[in-house]
Amino acid sequence: MTLVDQFSAYSRWRADAATAVGRLRQWLSRNELGDVQGDLRLQYVLDRLRDDKLTVAFVAEFSRGKSELINAIFFSGHGDRVLPSSAGRTTMCPTELQWTPGARAEIRMLPIRTRATHASVSELKQFPDEWMVLRLDAESLTDLQQAFARVGETERVTAEMASRLGFDIDESGEKGLKPGADGTVEIPSWRHAVIQFPHPLLEQGLVVLDTPGLNAIGAEPELTLSLLPNAHAVLFVLAADTGVTQSDMAVWREYVQGGQRRRGRLVVLNKIDGLWDGLRDGAQIDAEIARQVRSVAETLEVPEAAVFPVSAQKGLVGRISGDAELVARSRLDELERALAEDLLPTKQEIVRDSTLTEVDDLARQTGTLLAARLSGLREQLQELTDLRGKNQSVIEYMMRKIRSEKTEFEQGLQKYYAVRSVFSTLTNNLLAHLGMDALRDETRRTREAMMESTFTKGLRQAMERFFLSLRGNLARSSDEISEITRMLDSMYKRFSVEHGLKLATPESFSTLRYERELDRLESAFNRQINSALTLVTTEKHTLTQKFFETVAVEARRTFEGANRDVEQWLRAVMSPLETQVREYQLQLKRRLESVKRIHQATDTLEERVAELEQAEAAMLRQLGELKDITEGIRSALGGAAEAAGAPAAVPEGCAA
């Protein structure tokens, strides 16, 4: 199965899962069993399934054959190279290849001088006017080649301008851009490029991230702090004719290994066709390739199984010419198979587990609600059946009993309303610690402290206090979450014992994932900014700008995700109690009205019993339908084994 086939299967899997979840949403609405919060949760699941993206990043120094590898894997069907892959530097800025349904084929390029605005690429994506846009003719290979070649455009500027735009300048050219004889340096014309292109893999949610070499990577810290760490797979490309050079090692340590990535990180040893010199037989060539693989694995400290020797150029030629033997010799298929086997199952497992968690929770809540209704209905049915042949005094006693239960429950509601009030206060406290206002205040304080600082020590302390403050906010948020969970657990148990409501222990929420993200961000900050050399050699204004363009932007993205997730948790954790209280009130009201009618007209007793029996049959049918729908979702997700231990949607004791 080719990579295209694997991605097609994954795309169909997502579509089938979305259809199954949509069926649950429609069923809940049709049977008036859902609420606004549950509908929002299902919409979130559907959006995640339909808009799911998989990002594969290609990282390498210049002239390692990275663009040729992308051509071989993704564009051989066009009969020629699409991305430029001539000798020298062809990719001068981070380039995303993607496709959005309903979009038009185009290339959007962000001018390099926008770096002077202090705005991040992610922010500037919200302002189309800042980008140069060129329409693409997806049917014309020449048009595509010409448009894609523009990503490699450069311009010469003064060393001062280059430094102001964030490029490191080094007279030796080893650790930065080397000025020419006239004092100018060559820099990329573009800061970032996004290519919208209707390719079969891109149409199914794949995003290809093509990165420039070391000097250009260092000029756009957002790439190393956000795009690369968030990629689902990173292919680090080396050349067999050069091995692991010093600059390769710098890229590996700073931008691949430094991202704390383990799974989805593959090393590609390209240009093995350079060993096909005609003087050695196949066994000798294979032995030499195996020796190079061992050497690379040892140098990079990775398993040999994570190093893939290939010839991108021969693989591309073989695929275009239909030469299966040449493609096999290029070993390109082995890399694609590893990419699919490593990337897709991991991503699929994450999506499946998160979807099952939401669906199982909603199905459990709905099943519990139906069980409560069924229990109340059967209680009414039993009461009315017992009234057959009874006199008015017994019926009056039954009315007094139900009124007494209603009064007792209303007294319990006072405690419920008190809990709601405390819940609201704790929620406000939680969102105050985790909210964007607190982050903006801390960002402002840090900026002021950095600008007022006179010495390097003050700059370092201001930046380190920024992380300390964010960790403090997360710790206080975690305390508030624990308090909310304990309070709701106590109230759930009280209503379960005193009024027989069927309430499971509320789900917990952890801030660990955001703490880990801060760990990763601080680690990148320490490597790229908080070093003695950087602090001493970088002008204060430039350092401040660099910190807020990268670290602060990523911190904000982390806290935005935390806000979104905690708000969803707050809705989900309160919903079962609200729903059960509302349902119990309705049941008491129905019971009282039913007995009242019988008290007023005894001849309606049999009619009411018949109505309740019909309602019982309908409710049992709904429970069966809910079970079928949730099992259908598990089947579509392929998670039957994983979900085997999940609580059934139909609670025990509800069978007819």
Side-chain angles (χ1 to χ4, degrees):
M1 184 181 288
T2 67
L3 191 61
V4 174
D5 293 334
Q6 297 255 17
F7 271 90
S8 296
Y10 177 71
S11 182
R12 288 193 300 273
W13 175 83
R14 287 191 294 116
D16 291 345
T19 299
V21 173
R23 197 174 296 123
L24 172 62
R25 189 184 187 195
Q26 293 170 357
W27 183 85
L28 290 171
S29 175
R30 186 170 62 251
N31 289 278
E32 299 181 350
L33 289 167
D35 55 23
V36 174
Q37 306 303 342
D39 195 64
L40 283 173
R41 293 172 69 185
L42 286 177
Q43 183 60 53
Y44 176 74
V45 170
L46 289 170
D47 289 343
R48 187 168 50 199
L49 284 168
R50 288 167 180 158
D51 301 333
D52 187 41
K53 298 287 186 183
L54 294 101
T55 300
V56 178
F58 289 75
V59 180
E61 259 294 33
F62 293 112
S63 301
R64 301 299 187 262
K66 175 171 50 63
S67 295
E68 188 79 326
L69 182 61
I70 295 175
N71 280 322
I73 293 176
F74 301 111
F75 298 123
S76 60
H78 286 77
D80 200 349
R81 295 180 177 90
V82 174
L83 294 183
S85 60
S86 56
R89 303 181 176 189
T90 55
T91 303
M92 293 300 294
C93 70
T95 304
E96 295 178 70
L97 283 73
Q98 58 182 246
W99 179 250
T100 304
R104 66 182 186 182
E106 64 182 17
I107 177 171
R108 300 197 302 272
M109 296 177 291
L110 184 64
I112 192 65
R113 294 174 190 269
T114 58
R115 286 191 58 80
T117 65
H118 312 327
S120 67
V121 173
S122 57
E123 288 178 308
L124 290 171
K125 283 182 178 180
Q126 310 303 316
F127 300 95
D129 292 346
E130 297 288 342
W131 299 68
M132 175 179 282
V133 181
L134 299 176
R135 293 291 296 272
L136 292 178
D137 181 357
E139 303 300 322
S140 169
L141 178 62
T142 301
D143 188 60
L144 290 174
Q145 290 172 329
Q146 291 174 348
F148 285 17
R150 298 209 55 180
V151 174
E153 292 178 340
T154 62
E155 57 188 81
R156 298 198 73 86
V157 299
T158 64
E160 180 186 359
M161 171 61 75
S163 180
R164 192 157 63 243
L165 293 176
F167 293 94
D168 293 327
I169 309 300
D170 180 18
E171 293 295 334
S172 68
E174 293 180 2
K175 296 183 178 180
L177 302 179
K178 182 178 181 179
D182 60 355
T184 64
V185 295
E186 184 181 39
I187 65 170
S189 295
W190 311 107
R191 182 179 176 186
H192 197 91
V194 178
I195 299 174
Q196 288 277 1
F197 180 62
H199 179 276
L201 288 175
L202 305 183
E203 288 173 351
Q204 293 164 32
L206 179 69
V207 177
V208 176
L209 175 61
D210 189 11
T211 63
L214 177 61
N215 292 335
I217 283 180
E220 193 61 65
E222 187 176 357
L223 177 66
T224 60
L225 291 173
S226 174
L227 292 176
L228 286 180
N230 291 328
H232 301 99
V234 175
L235 272 65
F236 180 58
V237 186
L238 299 167
D241 54 357
T242 61
V244 183
T245 67
Q246 185 176 353
S247 60
D248 286 324
M249 203 65 199
V251 173
W252 171 259
R253 286 174 176 163
E254 291 293 319
Y255 307 118
V256 182
Q257 188 182 46
Q260 298 179 344
R261 170 177 295 281
R262 290 294 176 264
R263 192 168 174 84
R265 185 181 63 188
L266 306 178
V267 179
V268 180
L269 185 61
N270 194 19
K271 302 187 179 183
I272 60 170
D273 54 288
L275 302 173
W276 306 348
D277 54 13
L279 300 178
R280 288 178 286 189
D281 59 28
Q284 290 175 316
I285 292 172
D286 288 344
E288 175 62 18
I289 291 174
R291 187 190 66 76
Q292 289 209 31
V293 166
R294 283 194 299 274
S295 175
V296 168
E298 183 178 343
T299 303
L300 300 182
E301 298 179 340
V302 298
E304 290 184 28
V307 181
F308 294 87
V310 303
S311 170
Q313 192 268 338
K314 298 304 181 188
L316 176 63
V317 171
R319 286 184 170 178
I320 291 175
S321 62
D323 188 339
E325 184 179 346
L326 185 59
V327 173
R329 198 176 181 196
S330 75
R331 304 194 186 188
L332 200 60
D333 290 341
E334 296 173 25
L335 172 62
E336 289 191 350
R337 184 163 54 250
L339 184 62
E341 291 174 355
D342 193 78
L343 170 63
L344 291 176
T346 301
K347 179 64 174 175
Q348 188 165 336
E349 183 180 344
I350 293 170
V351 174
R352 179 179 64 233
D353 289 350
S354 61
T355 302
L356 278 174
T357 297
E358 292 290 346
V359 168
D360 280 341
D361 190 45
L362 279 171
R364 189 182 298 110
Q365 286 186 29
T366 305
T368 302
L369 172 63
L370 284 172
R373 288 185 180 180
L374 185 60
S375 177
L377 187 146
R378 285 175 170 171
E379 191 172 345
Q380 286 187 61
L381 188 57
Q382 186 62 47
E383 288 173 349
L384 297 187
T385 302
D386 291 344
L387 290 178
R388 283 172 170 157
K390 303 294 182 180
N391 55 32
Q392 289 292 321
S393 62
V394 174
I395 296 175
E396 289 171 0
Y397 166 76
M398 187 65 68
M399 288 175 61
R400 289 195 301 273
K401 179 174 177 292
I402 297 171
R403 284 197 181 104
S404 175
E405 288 181 33
K406 186 170 179 291
T407 300
E408 184 180 341
F409 183 70
E410 287 171 349
Q411 290 172 350
L413 281 180
Q414 300 305 313
K415 298 171 186 174
Y416 164 75
Y417 293 134
V419 168
R420 280 303 309 262
S421 177
V422 175
F423 177 80
S424 179
T425 301
L426 292 175
T427 296
N428 291 336
N429 293 342
L430 171 59
L431 295 178
H433 298 318
L434 209 57
M436 304 312 295
D437 288 342
L439 181 62
R440 276 190 290 268
D441 288 344
E442 186 55 39
T443 302
R444 176 183 51 76
R445 284 192 293 270
T446 303
R447 186 188 294 273
E448 290 173 353
M450 290 180 71
M451 296 308 295
E452 292 172 1
S453 178
T454 307
F455 301 103
T456 298
K457 182 179 179 182
L459 283 171
R460 173 174 276 163
Q461 287 177 340
M463 292 185 287
E464 290 175 347
R465 272 199 303 269
F466 179 78
F467 283 102
L468 194 61
S469 174
L470 297 194
R471 292 185 189 285
N473 283 346
L474 281 179
R476 286 185 286 274
S477 300
S478 186
D479 291 341
E480 297 289 352
I481 288 168
S482 297
E483 182 63 27
I484 289 172
T485 304
R486 283 194 299 271
M487 181 190 69
L488 287 180
D489 185 44
S490 175
M491 180 53 66
Y492 275 31
K493 288 176 179 175
R494 177 189 293 273
F495 271 77
S496 295
V497 171
E498 295 181 359
H499 305 291
L501 302 191
K502 294 179 174 59
L503 293 164
T505 302
E507 295 288 333
S508 59
F509 184 87
S510 173
T511 60
L512 180 61
R513 105 179 236 205
Y514 315 109
E515 293 166 12
R516 292 274 175 83
E517 182 61 21
L518 276 186
D519 289 342
R520 183 194 66 77
L521 187 57
E522 188 169 20
S523 176
F525 155 73
N526 286 327
R527 288 196 316 274
Q528 299 178 35
I529 298 177
N530 192 24
S531 67
L533 179 63
T534 303
L535 291 172
V536 170
T537 59
T538 309
E539 189 265 331
K540 182 175 72 173
H541 177 77
T542 303
L543 190 68
T544 303
Q545 172 186 334
K546 190 174 184 180
F547 180 82
F548 286 100
E549 281 185 359
T550 57
V551 175
V553 166
E554 281 305 300
R556 184 178 67 193
R557 187 175 286 118
T558 298
F559 271 68
E560 283 173 348
N563 269 265
R564 182 178 60 248
D565 293 343
V566 82
E567 285 176 0
Q568 184 174 342
W569 173 74
L570 288 168
R571 289 195 297 267
V573 83
M574 198 64 188
S575 180
L577 183 57
E578 292 175 333
T579 302
Q580 288 278 322
V581 166
R582 208 167 40 240
E583 187 63 28
Y584 194 76
Q585 284 179 303
L586 285 172
Q587 291 290 350
L588 285 172
K589 183 179 178 182
R590 291 187 188 119
R591 285 172 60 197
L592 188 58
E593 289 176 349
S594 182
V595 176
K596 274 184 181 178
R597 286 204 303 271
I598 294 163
H599 179 56
Q600 294 165 358
T602 307
D603 56 352
T604 63
L605 176 60
E606 293 302 326
E607 294 177 8
R608 183 57 182 158
V609 168
E611 288 174 8
L612 291 176
E613 288 174 342
Q614 290 177 357
E616 179 186 29
M619 212 162 292
L620 288 170
R621 187 166 58 250
Q622 286 181 332
L623 282 164
E625 291 171 353
L626 176 62
K627 183 178 180 181
D628 291 342
I629 290 172
T630 52
E631 287 179 351
I633 293 174
R634 293 193 186 100
S635 176
L637 289 168
E642 291 81 356
V650 182
E652 293 182 10
C654 291

